[in-house]
PDB file of all heavy atoms in Angstrom:
ATOM      1  N   LYS A  12      -4.038  59.970  41.307  1.00  0.00           N
ATOM      2  CA  LYS A  12      -5.186  60.869  41.453  1.00  0.00           C
ATOM      3  C   LYS A  12      -5.123  62.030  40.466  1.00  0.00           C
ATOM      4  O   LYS A  12      -6.163  62.574  40.080  1.00  0.00           O
ATOM      5  CB  LYS A  12      -5.291  61.389  42.880  1.00  0.00           C
ATOM      6  CG  LYS A  12      -4.180  62.313  43.332  1.00  0.00           C
ATOM      7  CD  LYS A  12      -4.433  62.800  44.759  1.00  0.00           C
ATOM      8  CE  LYS A  12      -3.361  63.786  45.209  1.00  0.00           C
ATOM      9  NZ  LYS A  12      -3.613  64.269  46.594  1.00  0.00           N
ATOM     10  N   GLU A  13      -3.907  62.397  40.020  1.00  0.00           N
ATOM     11  CA  GLU A  13      -3.793  63.451  39.012  1.00  0.00           C
ATOM     12  C   GLU A  13      -4.273  62.939  37.653  1.00  0.00           C
ATOM     13  O   GLU A  13      -4.970  63.658  36.926  1.00  0.00           O
ATOM     14  CB  GLU A  13      -2.345  63.925  38.914  1.00  0.00           C
ATOM     15  CG  GLU A  13      -1.863  64.690  40.130  1.00  0.00           C
ATOM     16  CD  GLU A  13      -0.421  65.132  39.986  1.00  0.00           C
ATOM     17  OE1 GLU A  13       0.444  64.259  39.775  1.00  0.00           O
ATOM     18  OE2 GLU A  13      -0.157  66.353  40.074  1.00  0.00           O
ATOM     19  N   LEU A  14      -3.877  61.731  37.321  1.00  0.00           N
ATOM     20  CA  LEU A  14      -4.374  61.130  36.087  1.00  0.00           C
ATOM     21  C   LEU A  14      -5.886  60.955  36.141  1.00  0.00           C
ATOM     22  O   LEU A  14      -6.601  61.245  35.172  1.00  0.00           O
ATOM     23  CB  LEU A  14      -3.699  59.777  35.855  1.00  0.00           C
ATOM     24  CG  LEU A  14      -2.190  59.786  35.587  1.00  0.00           C
ATOM     25  CD1 LEU A  14      -1.658  58.358  35.560  1.00  0.00           C
ATOM     26  CD2 LEU A  14      -1.875  60.499  34.288  1.00  0.00           C
ATOM     27  N   ALA A  15      -6.363  60.478  37.294  1.00  0.00           N
ATOM     28  CA  ALA A  15      -7.795  60.245  37.443  1.00  0.00           C
ATOM     29  C   ALA A  15      -8.584  61.541  37.329  1.00  0.00           C
ATOM     30  O   ALA A  15      -9.672  61.575  36.742  1.00  0.00           O
ATOM     31  CB  ALA A  15      -8.077  59.574  38.786  1.00  0.00           C
ATOM     32  N   ALA A  16      -8.029  62.633  37.882  1.00  0.00           N
ATOM     33  CA  ALA A  16      -8.722  63.927  37.823  1.00  0.00           C
ATOM     34  C   ALA A  16      -8.910  64.382  36.376  1.00  0.00           C
ATOM     35  O   ALA A  16      -9.963  64.917  36.009  1.00  0.00           O
ATOM     36  CB  ALA A  16      -7.945  64.975  38.613  1.00  0.00           C
ATOM     37  N   GLN A  17      -7.883  64.158  35.551  1.00  0.00           N
ATOM     38  CA  GLN A  17      -7.988  64.540  34.138  1.00  0.00           C
ATOM     39  C   GLN A  17      -8.956  63.623  33.398  1.00  0.00           C
ATOM     40  O   GLN A  17      -9.782  64.076  32.603  1.00  0.00           O
ATOM     41  CB  GLN A  17      -6.603  64.465  33.489  1.00  0.00           C
ATOM     42  CG  GLN A  17      -5.620  65.457  34.037  1.00  0.00           C
ATOM     43  CD  GLN A  17      -5.212  66.494  33.008  1.00  0.00           C
ATOM     44  OE1 GLN A  17      -5.717  66.533  31.895  1.00  0.00           O
ATOM     45  NE2 GLN A  17      -4.293  67.351  33.380  1.00  0.00           N
ATOM     46  N   LEU A  18      -8.840  62.341  33.666  1.00  0.00           N
ATOM     47  CA  LEU A  18      -9.655  61.370  32.933  1.00  0.00           C
ATOM     48  C   LEU A  18     -11.131  61.456  33.324  1.00  0.00           C
ATOM     49  O   LEU A  18     -12.012  61.229  32.486  1.00  0.00           O
ATOM     50  CB  LEU A  18      -9.133  59.954  33.171  1.00  0.00           C
ATOM     51  CG  LEU A  18      -7.760  59.659  32.548  1.00  0.00           C
ATOM     52  CD1 LEU A  18      -7.255  58.293  32.988  1.00  0.00           C
ATOM     53  CD2 LEU A  18      -7.816  59.746  31.033  1.00  0.00           C
ATOM     54  N   THR A  19     -11.422  61.789  34.575  1.00  0.00           N
ATOM     55  CA  THR A  19     -12.819  61.880  34.998  1.00  0.00           C
ATOM     56  C   THR A  19     -13.528  63.081  34.374  1.00  0.00           C
ATOM     57  O   THR A  19     -14.760  63.133  34.355  1.00  0.00           O
ATOM     58  CB  THR A  19     -12.930  61.978  36.531  1.00  0.00           C
ATOM     59  OG1 THR A  19     -12.096  63.042  37.007  1.00  0.00           O
ATOM     60  CG2 THR A  19     -12.512  60.681  37.191  1.00  0.00           C
ATOM     61  N   VAL A  20     -12.765  64.031  33.876  1.00  0.00           N
ATOM     62  CA  VAL A  20     -13.360  65.147  33.135  1.00  0.00           C
ATOM     63  C   VAL A  20     -13.309  64.879  31.632  1.00  0.00           C
ATOM     64  O   VAL A  20     -14.296  65.037  30.917  1.00  0.00           O
ATOM     65  CB  VAL A  20     -12.642  66.473  33.462  1.00  0.00           C
ATOM     66  CG1 VAL A  20     -13.196  67.605  32.597  1.00  0.00           C
ATOM     67  CG2 VAL A  20     -12.801  66.814  34.929  1.00  0.00           C
ATOM     68  N   GLY A  21     -12.132  64.437  31.159  1.00  0.00           N
ATOM     69  CA  GLY A  21     -11.949  64.257  29.721  1.00  0.00           C
ATOM     70  C   GLY A  21     -12.720  63.093  29.137  1.00  0.00           C
ATOM     71  O   GLY A  21     -13.354  63.232  28.081  1.00  0.00           O
ATOM     72  N   ILE A  22     -12.709  61.943  29.808  1.00  0.00           N
ATOM     73  CA  ILE A  22     -13.373  60.754  29.258  1.00  0.00           C
ATOM     74  C   ILE A  22     -14.886  60.959  29.118  1.00  0.00           C
ATOM     75  O   ILE A  22     -15.454  60.621  28.065  1.00  0.00           O
ATOM     76  CB  ILE A  22     -13.074  59.510  30.121  1.00  0.00           C
ATOM     77  CG1 ILE A  22     -11.584  59.152  30.030  1.00  0.00           C
ATOM     78  CG2 ILE A  22     -13.930  58.323  29.684  1.00  0.00           C
ATOM     79  CD1 ILE A  22     -11.126  58.747  28.649  1.00  0.00           C
ATOM     80  N   PRO A  23     -15.598  61.482  30.148  1.00  0.00           N
ATOM     81  CA  PRO A  23     -17.034  61.707  29.954  1.00  0.00           C
ATOM     82  C   PRO A  23     -17.349  62.635  28.784  1.00  0.00           C
ATOM     83  O   PRO A  23     -18.308  62.396  28.044  1.00  0.00           O
ATOM     84  CB  PRO A  23     -17.484  62.318  31.282  1.00  0.00           C
ATOM     85  CG  PRO A  23     -16.524  61.786  32.282  1.00  0.00           C
ATOM     86  CD  PRO A  23     -15.209  61.734  31.550  1.00  0.00           C
ATOM     87  N   MET A  24     -16.530  63.681  28.590  1.00  0.00           N
ATOM     88  CA  MET A  24     -16.782  64.575  27.456  1.00  0.00           C
ATOM     89  C   MET A  24     -16.456  63.888  26.140  1.00  0.00           C
ATOM     90  O   MET A  24     -17.158  64.073  25.137  1.00  0.00           O
ATOM     91  CB  MET A  24     -15.977  65.863  27.607  1.00  0.00           C
ATOM     92  CG  MET A  24     -16.486  66.749  28.731  1.00  0.00           C
ATOM     93  SD  MET A  24     -15.824  68.430  28.676  1.00  0.00           S
ATOM     94  CE  MET A  24     -16.631  69.063  27.212  1.00  0.00           C
ATOM     95  N   GLY A  25     -15.402  63.074  26.136  1.00  0.00           N
ATOM     96  CA  GLY A  25     -15.107  62.302  24.932  1.00  0.00           C
ATOM     97  C   GLY A  25     -16.206  61.305  24.632  1.00  0.00           C
ATOM     98  O   GLY A  25     -16.628  61.142  23.485  1.00  0.00           O
ATOM     99  N   MET A  26     -16.694  60.634  25.688  1.00  0.00           N
ATOM    100  CA  MET A  26     -17.788  59.681  25.515  1.00  0.00           C
ATOM    101  C   MET A  26     -19.054  60.372  25.039  1.00  0.00           C
ATOM    102  O   MET A  26     -19.822  59.826  24.244  1.00  0.00           O
ATOM    103  CB  MET A  26     -18.052  58.954  26.831  1.00  0.00           C
ATOM    104  CG  MET A  26     -16.963  57.978  27.235  1.00  0.00           C
ATOM    105  SD  MET A  26     -16.758  56.640  26.034  1.00  0.00           S
ATOM    106  CE  MET A  26     -18.348  55.830  26.182  1.00  0.00           C
ATOM    107  N   GLN A  27     -19.284  61.589  25.540  1.00  0.00           N
ATOM    108  CA  GLN A  27     -20.466  62.344  25.109  1.00  0.00           C
ATOM    109  C   GLN A  27     -20.436  62.558  23.607  1.00  0.00           C
ATOM    110  O   GLN A  27     -21.426  62.332  22.905  1.00  0.00           O
ATOM    111  CB  GLN A  27     -20.508  63.693  25.820  1.00  0.00           C
ATOM    112  CG  GLN A  27     -21.598  64.635  25.327  1.00  0.00           C
ATOM    113  CD  GLN A  27     -21.333  66.065  25.735  1.00  0.00           C
ATOM    114  OE1 GLN A  27     -20.852  66.327  26.835  1.00  0.00           O
ATOM    115  NE2 GLN A  27     -21.622  67.000  24.856  1.00  0.00           N
ATOM    116  N   PHE A  28     -19.272  62.996  23.089  1.00  0.00           N
ATOM    117  CA  PHE A  28     -19.137  63.199  21.650  1.00  0.00           C
ATOM    118  C   PHE A  28     -19.341  61.884  20.900  1.00  0.00           C
ATOM    119  O   PHE A  28     -20.017  61.834  19.873  1.00  0.00           O
ATOM    120  CB  PHE A  28     -17.754  63.771  21.333  1.00  0.00           C
ATOM    121  CG  PHE A  28     -17.616  65.247  21.566  1.00  0.00           C
ATOM    122  CD1 PHE A  28     -17.772  65.793  22.830  1.00  0.00           C
ATOM    123  CD2 PHE A  28     -17.317  66.098  20.521  1.00  0.00           C
ATOM    124  CE1 PHE A  28     -17.637  67.152  23.049  1.00  0.00           C
ATOM    125  CE2 PHE A  28     -17.175  67.463  20.723  1.00  0.00           C
ATOM    126  CZ  PHE A  28     -17.334  67.985  21.992  1.00  0.00           C
ATOM    127  N   SER A  29     -18.735  60.812  21.422  1.00  0.00           N
ATOM    128  CA  SER A  29     -18.787  59.533  20.721  1.00  0.00           C
ATOM    129  C   SER A  29     -20.161  58.883  20.798  1.00  0.00           C
ATOM    130  O   SER A  29     -20.610  58.256  19.839  1.00  0.00           O
ATOM    131  CB  SER A  29     -17.727  58.581  21.294  1.00  0.00           C
ATOM    132  OG  SER A  29     -16.442  59.015  20.948  1.00  0.00           O
ATOM    133  N   ILE A  30     -20.828  59.015  21.946  1.00  0.00           N
ATOM    134  CA  ILE A  30     -22.163  58.441  22.095  1.00  0.00           C
ATOM    135  C   ILE A  30     -23.116  59.074  21.089  1.00  0.00           C
ATOM    136  O   ILE A  30     -23.920  58.386  20.440  1.00  0.00           O
ATOM    137  CB  ILE A  30     -22.682  58.619  23.533  1.00  0.00           C
ATOM    138  CG1 ILE A  30     -21.925  57.665  24.469  1.00  0.00           C
ATOM    139  CG2 ILE A  30     -24.182  58.344  23.623  1.00  0.00           C
ATOM    140  CD1 ILE A  30     -22.183  57.936  25.932  1.00  0.00           C
ATOM    141  N   ILE A  31     -23.017  60.384  20.960  1.00  0.00           N
ATOM    142  CA  ILE A  31     -23.840  61.073  19.969  1.00  0.00           C
ATOM    143  C   ILE A  31     -23.506  60.565  18.564  1.00  0.00           C
ATOM    144  O   ILE A  31     -24.387  60.349  17.726  1.00  0.00           O
ATOM    145  CB  ILE A  31     -23.630  62.594  20.066  1.00  0.00           C
ATOM    146  CG1 ILE A  31     -24.186  63.107  21.411  1.00  0.00           C
ATOM    147  CG2 ILE A  31     -24.291  63.321  18.901  1.00  0.00           C
ATOM    148  CD1 ILE A  31     -23.879  64.560  21.683  1.00  0.00           C
ATOM    149  N   ALA A  32     -22.201  60.335  18.324  1.00  0.00           N
ATOM    150  CA  ALA A  32     -21.781  59.848  17.006  1.00  0.00           C
ATOM    151  C   ALA A  32     -22.250  58.420  16.751  1.00  0.00           C
ATOM    152  O   ALA A  32     -22.499  58.050  15.598  1.00  0.00           O
ATOM    153  CB  ALA A  32     -20.261  59.935  16.882  1.00  0.00           C
ATOM    154  N   ILE A  33     -22.357  57.599  17.816  1.00  0.00           N
ATOM    155  CA  ILE A  33     -22.882  56.241  17.636  1.00  0.00           C
ATOM    156  C   ILE A  33     -24.302  56.302  17.088  1.00  0.00           C
ATOM    157  O   ILE A  33     -24.679  55.544  16.193  1.00  0.00           O
ATOM    158  CB  ILE A  33     -22.847  55.465  18.974  1.00  0.00           C
ATOM    159  CG1 ILE A  33     -21.403  55.152  19.365  1.00  0.00           C
ATOM    160  CG2 ILE A  33     -23.626  54.148  18.851  1.00  0.00           C
ATOM    161  CD1 ILE A  33     -21.270  54.543  20.741  1.00  0.00           C
ATOM    162  N   GLY A  34     -25.100  57.220  17.643  1.00  0.00           N
ATOM    163  CA  GLY A  34     -26.448  57.404  17.116  1.00  0.00           C
ATOM    164  C   GLY A  34     -26.418  57.788  15.651  1.00  0.00           C
ATOM    165  O   GLY A  34     -27.220  57.298  14.849  1.00  0.00           O
ATOM    166  N   ALA A  35     -25.466  58.653  15.300  1.00  0.00           N
ATOM    167  CA  ALA A  35     -25.331  59.049  13.899  1.00  0.00           C
ATOM    168  C   ALA A  35     -24.919  57.865  13.026  1.00  0.00           C
ATOM    169  O   ALA A  35     -25.332  57.758  11.869  1.00  0.00           O
ATOM    170  CB  ALA A  35     -24.309  60.184  13.780  1.00  0.00           C
ATOM    171  N   LEU A  36     -24.096  56.964  13.590  1.00  0.00           N
ATOM    172  CA  LEU A  36     -23.709  55.772  12.845  1.00  0.00           C
ATOM    173  C   LEU A  36     -24.915  54.882  12.555  1.00  0.00           C
ATOM    174  O   LEU A  36     -25.043  54.315  11.454  1.00  0.00           O
ATOM    175  CB  LEU A  36     -22.660  54.981  13.634  1.00  0.00           C
ATOM    176  CG  LEU A  36     -21.225  55.538  13.632  1.00  0.00           C
ATOM    177  CD1 LEU A  36     -20.377  54.801  14.664  1.00  0.00           C
ATOM    178  CD2 LEU A  36     -20.611  55.415  12.248  1.00  0.00           C
ATOM    179  N   LEU A  37     -25.794  54.749  13.531  1.00  0.00           N
ATOM    180  CA  LEU A  37     -27.002  53.945  13.320  1.00  0.00           C
ATOM    181  C   LEU A  37     -27.889  54.568  12.247  1.00  0.00           C
ATOM    182  O   LEU A  37     -28.460  53.866  11.408  1.00  0.00           O
ATOM    183  CB  LEU A  37     -27.771  53.810  14.637  1.00  0.00           C
ATOM    184  CG  LEU A  37     -27.075  52.997  15.737  1.00  0.00           C
ATOM    185  CD1 LEU A  37     -27.863  53.094  17.037  1.00  0.00           C
ATOM    186  CD2 LEU A  37     -26.933  51.544  15.303  1.00  0.00           C
ATOM    187  N   VAL A  38     -27.989  55.881  12.299  1.00  0.00           N
ATOM    188  CA  VAL A  38     -28.760  56.578  11.267  1.00  0.00           C
ATOM    189  C   VAL A  38     -28.089  56.391   9.911  1.00  0.00           C
ATOM    190  O   VAL A  38     -28.760  56.184   8.892  1.00  0.00           O
ATOM    191  CB  VAL A  38     -28.890  58.078  11.615  1.00  0.00           C
ATOM    192  CG1 VAL A  38     -29.548  58.843  10.464  1.00  0.00           C
ATOM    193  CG2 VAL A  38     -29.702  58.262  12.892  1.00  0.00           C
ATOM    194  N   GLN A  39     -26.745  56.444   9.888  1.00  0.00           N
ATOM    195  CA  GLN A  39     -26.015  56.239   8.640  1.00  0.00           C
ATOM    196  C   GLN A  39     -26.272  54.844   8.078  1.00  0.00           C
ATOM    197  O   GLN A  39     -26.425  54.661   6.870  1.00  0.00           O
ATOM    198  CB  GLN A  39     -24.512  56.430   8.876  1.00  0.00           C
ATOM    199  CG  GLN A  39     -23.670  56.333   7.619  1.00  0.00           C
ATOM    200  CD  GLN A  39     -23.854  57.511   6.689  1.00  0.00           C
ATOM    201  OE1 GLN A  39     -23.728  58.658   7.111  1.00  0.00           O
ATOM    202  NE2 GLN A  39     -24.160  57.251   5.429  1.00  0.00           N
ATOM    203  N   ARG A  40     -26.338  53.853   8.971  1.00  0.00           N
ATOM    204  CA  ARG A  40     -26.618  52.474   8.538  1.00  0.00           C
ATOM    205  C   ARG A  40     -27.989  52.388   7.860  1.00  0.00           C
ATOM    206  O   ARG A  40     -28.140  51.760   6.811  1.00  0.00           O
ATOM    207  CB  ARG A  40     -26.573  51.545   9.752  1.00  0.00           C
ATOM    208  CG  ARG A  40     -26.911  50.085   9.438  1.00  0.00           C
ATOM    209  CD  ARG A  40     -25.837  49.464   8.585  1.00  0.00           C
ATOM    210  NE  ARG A  40     -26.103  48.064   8.300  1.00  0.00           N
ATOM    211  CZ  ARG A  40     -26.870  47.594   7.321  1.00  0.00           C
ATOM    212  NH1 ARG A  40     -27.476  48.446   6.509  1.00  0.00           N
ATOM    213  NH2 ARG A  40     -27.029  46.303   7.142  1.00  0.00           N
ATOM    214  N   ALA A  41     -28.971  53.053   8.457  1.00  0.00           N
ATOM    215  CA  ALA A  41     -30.305  53.067   7.853  1.00  0.00           C
ATOM    216  C   ALA A  41     -30.310  53.861   6.551  1.00  0.00           C
ATOM    217  O   ALA A  41     -30.956  53.484   5.575  1.00  0.00           O
ATOM    218  CB  ALA A  41     -31.310  53.659   8.838  1.00  0.00           C
ATOM    219  N   LEU A  42     -29.549  54.961   6.542  1.00  0.00           N
ATOM    220  CA  LEU A  42     -29.479  55.808   5.351  1.00  0.00           C
ATOM    221  C   LEU A  42     -28.854  55.065   4.178  1.00  0.00           C
ATOM    222  O   LEU A  42     -29.301  55.201   3.030  1.00  0.00           O
ATOM    223  CB  LEU A  42     -28.661  57.069   5.669  1.00  0.00           C
ATOM    224  CG  LEU A  42     -28.389  58.046   4.521  1.00  0.00           C
ATOM    225  CD1 LEU A  42     -29.692  58.677   4.048  1.00  0.00           C
ATOM    226  CD2 LEU A  42     -27.405  59.121   4.958  1.00  0.00           C
ATOM    227  N   ASN A  43     -27.826  54.269   4.435  1.00  0.00           N
ATOM    228  CA  ASN A  43     -27.144  53.545   3.359  1.00  0.00           C
ATOM    229  C   ASN A  43     -28.090  52.608   2.609  1.00  0.00           C
ATOM    230  O   ASN A  43     -27.867  52.287   1.448  1.00  0.00           O
ATOM    231  CB  ASN A  43     -25.966  52.755   3.921  1.00  0.00           C
ATOM    232  CG  ASN A  43     -24.805  53.658   4.317  1.00  0.00           C
ATOM    233  OD1 ASN A  43     -24.739  54.806   3.904  1.00  0.00           O
ATOM    234  ND2 ASN A  43     -23.898  53.133   5.127  1.00  0.00           N
ATOM    235  N   GLY A  44     -29.149  52.173   3.289  1.00  0.00           N
ATOM    236  CA  GLY A  44     -30.115  51.301   2.637  1.00  0.00           C
ATOM    237  C   GLY A  44     -31.082  52.026   1.730  1.00  0.00           C
ATOM    238  O   GLY A  44     -31.867  51.382   1.012  1.00  0.00           O
ATOM    239  N   LEU A  45     -31.037  53.371   1.727  1.00  0.00           N
ATOM    240  CA  LEU A  45     -31.953  54.159   0.901  1.00  0.00           C
ATOM    241  C   LEU A  45     -31.360  54.546  -0.448  1.00  0.00           C
ATOM    242  O   LEU A  45     -32.040  55.181  -1.260  1.00  0.00           O
ATOM    243  CB  LEU A  45     -32.387  55.427   1.659  1.00  0.00           C
ATOM    244  CG  LEU A  45     -33.142  55.202   2.974  1.00  0.00           C
ATOM    245  CD1 LEU A  45     -33.481  56.542   3.631  1.00  0.00           C
ATOM    246  CD2 LEU A  45     -34.415  54.388   2.745  1.00  0.00           C
ATOM    247  N   GLY A  46     -30.078  54.202  -0.683  1.00  0.00           N
ATOM    248  CA  GLY A  46     -29.485  54.466  -1.985  1.00  0.00           C
ATOM    249  C   GLY A  46     -28.554  55.665  -2.000  1.00  0.00           C
ATOM    250  O   GLY A  46     -28.506  56.462  -1.055  1.00  0.00           O
ATOM    251  N   THR A  47     -27.803  55.810  -3.106  1.00  0.00           N
ATOM    252  CA  THR A  47     -26.773  56.850  -3.189  1.00  0.00           C
ATOM    253  C   THR A  47     -27.353  58.264  -3.260  1.00  0.00           C
ATOM    254  O   THR A  47     -26.732  59.215  -2.797  1.00  0.00           O
ATOM    255  CB  THR A  47     -25.878  56.613  -4.418  1.00  0.00           C
ATOM    256  OG1 THR A  47     -26.693  56.544  -5.589  1.00  0.00           O
ATOM    257  CG2 THR A  47     -25.089  55.329  -4.276  1.00  0.00           C
ATOM    258  N   THR A  48     -28.542  58.432  -3.840  1.00  0.00           N
ATOM    259  CA  THR A  48     -29.150  59.776  -3.880  1.00  0.00           C
ATOM    260  C   THR A  48     -29.471  60.257  -2.471  1.00  0.00           C
ATOM    261  O   THR A  48     -29.204  61.417  -2.119  1.00  0.00           O
ATOM    262  CB  THR A  48     -30.428  59.772  -4.733  1.00  0.00           C
ATOM    263  OG1 THR A  48     -30.117  59.384  -6.068  1.00  0.00           O
ATOM    264  CG2 THR A  48     -31.054  61.165  -4.756  1.00  0.00           C
TER     265      THR A  48
END
């Protein structure tokens, strides 16, 4: 329960950062098709 208490706070915040970054990755994928400029 001590591990779970830490993970139930830390993992959602980590996922929040990463979920937002996944969106940025999708945008990056679209951006790469527009050229180096």
Side-chain angles (χ1 to χ4, degrees):
K12 67 178 183 180
E13 291 180 303
L14 294 173
Q17 295 246 4
L18 292 173
T19 52
V20 175
I22 293 296
M24 290 194 69
M26 290 298 296
Q27 173 198 322
F28 280 62
S29 290
I30 287 170
I31 293 173
I33 290 173
L36 284 169
L37 293 173
V38 173
Q39 184 71 52
R40 177 68 178 84
L42 176 66
N43 287 343
L45 299 179
T47 55
T48 300

